[in-house]
Amino acid sequence: MSDIKLRFAPSPTGYLHIGGLRTALYNYLFAKKNGGKFVLRIEDTDRTRYVEGAIENLIESLEWAGITHDEGVVVKDGKLAEVGDCGPYIQSERLDIYKKYVDKLIEDGHAYYCFCSKDRLDHLREEQRIKGKVPKYDGLCRGIPLEEAKKRIAAGEDYVVRLKLPKNKDITFNDAVRGKVTINTDEIDDQVLMKSDGFPTYHMAVIVDDHLMGITHIVRGEEWLPSTPKHVYLYECLGWEAPEFVHLPTVLNKDRKKLSKRQGDVSVEDFKKRGYLPEGIVNYLALVGWSPEDGEEIMSLDELVEKFSFDRVGKSGGIFDTDKLNWVNSHYMKSYDLEKLAELAIPFVTESGLLSEEEIRDNFEWYKILIDTVREACDKLEDIPGHIKFLFGDIEITEDAAKEELAQEHVPGLLDSFIKIVKSHDEIDMETAKGLMKEVQKDSGVKGKQLYMPVRAAISGNVHGPEMQNILYLLGKDKLIERAEKIKNSL
């Protein structure tokens, strides 16, 4: 086989589905593992489903995930452009190429013109359903002589072009996930190859594009498995060598049903908006239907490239488990570069109304410690506001354990000592915060849980949480005094 080359070929019908991102990822991993190329092609021949801006979103989502392509459609200076020698990479710009090969199939007797109206086809399918048959074209136009068909076209009749499948022929191909697959042509429809609007169907365009672009492996969802015999036959009709096929299991929800918008988030954009990190999404998606030989679960993109192979892809649908995604993403929340994580968190913090971007930029070192303080408790960026809000505004003691701690007999005297020690410092910087509770211990004579729990409850409203020294530093002198005095006065 020639140099390894794989492609991801989405339709621009909206935001990139999380299952589509997994397909792109597996293509990318195999290409890079084998020193090959990864191509991004846009399949936009279904004009009724085209969504403006979808191509740009697809590219942005892939770039966000770190899945970069060597050839295909790119965004350059705010406009769509192309890189590579096999373009155009957008199917609607390749219509003349497809027509050339459709004409060849017709001339060679492998395809035919069909003049059946939509009403006739609808009536035919309904009759077949009533009789319990699989709805398929009955071949009415297969026998029309080519010259007669051309005269009808010249006279202005509407038509499509259909593939002329041979009768009762077993078509066999090998799939990297499912092994040997055989389907008889009597079970398959005479597929439309060219629609009445002059656009090819997926089945025609994908064959021509994959061949002309030198694609060696077709990696796509298992929903395309029943169509593959038609594709194999088309390769044969055109005298081309078929590539290798890999049909991936569907991404399912916990109920083992296809992941859909009705059950929640399904697009890459949804997960970005909730603050999942690209490294977490990519790491987790790789595990939805595949596992490495060593059983490792936390892997960088480079490690995934090194370990990936199709023989470790399962046949059954991969379950998309949000709890497992959160667990994987939380690993990256804990280990992420702090400066980068702090920047990524800014929109989530400002949207919550707790801090403005100006306040963050003016106190960025303080803000970084704020993010570092709570990230251990967060699965994703959208969790951060909920974990930092105790530092802002007034607090109400609602936790029973906190109320119990504050009800102890020694607490008023302890808070007096705490307030006195805090007031004795010009400011509570991090160095001061580290030794502050030892000073309170020395002044009050209280130590251990009797010291830490009531003070924590008084200044944060909870008996458990982040590092005490971080809370002291983040709240600062004035707020510590204000909160401790308010609690002391309420006892």
Side-chain angles (χ1 to χ4, degrees):
M1 183 167 282
S2 58
D3 293 340
I4 298 294
K5 199 173 186 184
L6 288 87
R7 50 69 170 174
F8 178 53
S11 298
T13 56
Y15 288 126
L16 178 60
H17 190 282
I18 203 74
L21 182 62
R22 188 195 62 166
T23 300
L25 175 63
Y26 283 10
N27 273 280
Y28 174 86
L29 294 178
F30 187 82
K32 297 306 163 189
K33 171 76 177 284
N34 293 280
K37 288 186 176 180
F38 176 56
V39 179
L40 176 64
R41 186 174 73 224
I42 302 299
E43 298 188 344
D44 64 339
T45 57
D46 187 348
R47 304 307 292 174
T48 60
R49 297 176 65 223
Y50 179 81
V51 173
E52 195 70 40
I55 298 175
E56 290 85 349
N57 174 264
L58 286 163
I59 294 168
E60 184 186 327
S61 294
L62 291 173
E63 288 179 349
W64 173 81
I67 302 172
T68 54
H69 51 285
D70 306 292
E71 284 182 33
V73 186
V74 296
V75 175
K76 191 174 182 181
D77 299 327
K79 296 180 180 179
L80 292 178
E82 295 188 344
V83 291
D85 301 325
C86 299
Y89 293 92
I90 296 177
Q91 286 187 335
S92 58
E93 298 173 11
R94 298 171 61 84
L95 300 186
D96 289 345
I97 299 172
Y98 305 130
K99 187 175 186 313
K100 169 185 165 185
Y101 290 104
V102 168
D103 289 347
K104 175 175 169 51
L105 289 169
I106 291 169
E107 293 299 327
D108 292 347
H110 299 305
Y112 60 95
Y113 295 108
C114 173
F115 301 92
C116 293
S117 67
K118 182 179 182 299
D119 285 346
R120 180 184 182 274
L121 295 174
D122 289 344
H123 182 70
L124 173 66
R125 291 189 192 102
E126 188 57 34
E127 272 191 348
Q128 290 169 331
R129 282 193 199 95
I130 291 168
K131 293 176 181 176
K133 295 179 179 179
V134 177
K136 56 184 287 192
Y137 183 60
D138 61 358
L140 179 69
C141 295
R142 277 176 71 112
I144 298 174
L146 184 55
E147 289 307 312
E148 181 187 331
K150 287 182 176 179
K151 285 178 184 175
R152 291 174 67 171
I153 292 168
E157 279 195 56
D158 287 336
Y159 67 93
V160 298
V161 177
R162 290 183 182 271
L163 175 65
K164 186 182 282 187
L165 283 167
K167 299 291 186 185
N168 193 26
K169 175 184 171 72
D170 282 342
I171 297 177
T172 301
F173 62 94
N174 189 68
D175 184 89
V177 174
R178 287 162 179 77
K180 187 178 177 182
V181 179
T182 299
I183 299 179
N184 191 278
T185 54
D186 287 353
E187 301 171 32
I188 312 170
D189 209 355
D190 273 5
Q191 184 66 51
V192 173
L193 300 178
M194 186 75 80
K195 295 175 285 187
S196 57
D197 61 4
F199 277 79
T201 59
Y202 168 83
H203 307 279
M204 183 66 201
V206 74
I207 299 304
V208 173
D209 290 346
D210 286 338
H211 174 73
L212 296 182
M213 293 180 186
I215 304 301
T216 58
H217 295 72
I218 307 300
V219 182
R220 59 191 177 192
E222 66 183 356
E223 66 270 20
W224 294 110
L225 193 64
S227 298
T228 304
K230 303 173 200 174
H231 301 170
V232 171
Y233 183 66
L234 273 169
Y235 278 109
E236 184 183 316
C237 291
L238 291 165
W240 298 337
E241 180 185 355
E244 294 191 30
F245 293 98
V246 186
H247 289 91
L248 304 174
T250 305
V251 178
L252 306 173
N253 62 23
K254 281 186 176 180
D255 298 328
R256 303 198 70 82
K257 293 178 180 174
K258 190 172 181 179
L259 204 62
S260 73
K261 192 70 178 174
R262 287 188 299 277
Q263 285 96 27
D265 298 332
V266 296
S267 76
V268 177
E269 195 70 20
D270 291 332
F271 291 94
K272 283 172 66 179
K273 284 178 180 174
R274 294 189 62 194
Y276 286 95
L277 300 172
E279 294 86 349
I281 285 284
V282 164
N283 186 159
Y284 175 67
L285 269 183
L287 301 172
V288 181
W290 170 83
S291 62
E293 201 166 345
D294 59 11
E296 187 58 64
E297 292 192 296
I298 301 298
M299 292 165 282
S300 68
L301 191 56
D302 287 342
E303 289 170 324
L304 288 169
V305 167
E306 185 183 332
K307 297 179 181 184
F308 188 78
S309 66
F310 287 123
D311 57 14
R312 300 284 304 174
V313 174
K315 290 183 178 67
S316 58
I319 304 298
F320 192 92
D321 182 348
T322 305
D323 293 336
K324 181 71 176 286
L325 167 61
N326 288 342
W327 176 80
V328 172
N329 201 70
S330 70
H331 167 84
Y332 290 96
M333 289 288 291
K334 294 179 180 77
S335 60
Y336 225 62
D337 175 77
L338 179 56
E339 188 96 20
K340 193 174 177 185
L341 188 71
E343 286 287 348
L344 291 173
I346 288 174
F348 295 87
V349 176
T350 56
E351 193 176 319
S352 71
L354 296 172
L355 288 168
S356 68
E357 182 158 1
E358 186 180 4
E359 288 171 320
I360 290 171
R361 296 294 177 196
D362 288 346
N363 303 279
F364 200 73
E365 289 307 309
W366 176 89
Y367 168 74
K368 281 201 300 184
I369 292 172
L370 172 65
I371 299 302
D372 199 30
T373 299
V374 299
R375 64 165 155 179
E376 286 274 335
C378 300
D379 292 335
K380 50 196 178 298
L381 294 169
E382 77 168 1
D383 298 342
I384 288 174
H387 286 280
I388 66 173
K389 66 181 179 182
F390 76 92
L391 294 165
F392 301 89
D394 295 330
I395 57 165
E396 296 293 328
I397 309 299
T398 57
E399 186 182 89
D400 288 341
K403 290 178 181 178
E404 287 175 20
E405 290 294 336
L406 293 171
Q408 295 179 89
E409 193 176 328
H410 73 285
V411 170
L414 172 61
L415 290 178
D416 276 336
S417 288
F418 178 77
I419 292 164
K420 182 175 84 173
I421 296 300
V422 173
K423 283 183 175 179
S424 72
H425 292 280
D426 292 334
E427 64 169 331
I428 308 300
D429 58 20
M430 187 55 85
E431 198 57 40
T432 304
K434 285 178 182 176
L436 191 78
M437 292 307 289
K438 282 188 178 177
E439 292 184 61
V440 178
Q441 178 183 324
K442 189 175 180 181
D443 187 79
S444 66
V446 182
K447 58 184 178 179
K449 284 188 176 182
Q450 298 290 303
L451 167 69
Y452 280 90
M453 292 292 199
V455 172
R456 183 186 280 276
I459 64 174
S460 74
N462 300 289
V463 295
H464 298 292
E467 288 266 354
M468 188 68 158
Q469 66 188 38
N470 288 32
I471 296 175
L472 294 169
Y473 165 75
L474 290 166
L475 282 169
K477 180 177 177 176
D478 293 345
K479 195 161 279 190
L480 288 171
I481 294 168
E482 179 190 323
R483 287 189 175 186
E485 285 182 340
K486 182 182 176 184
I487 294 299
K488 178 180 171 289
N489 293 336
S490 71
L491 297 177

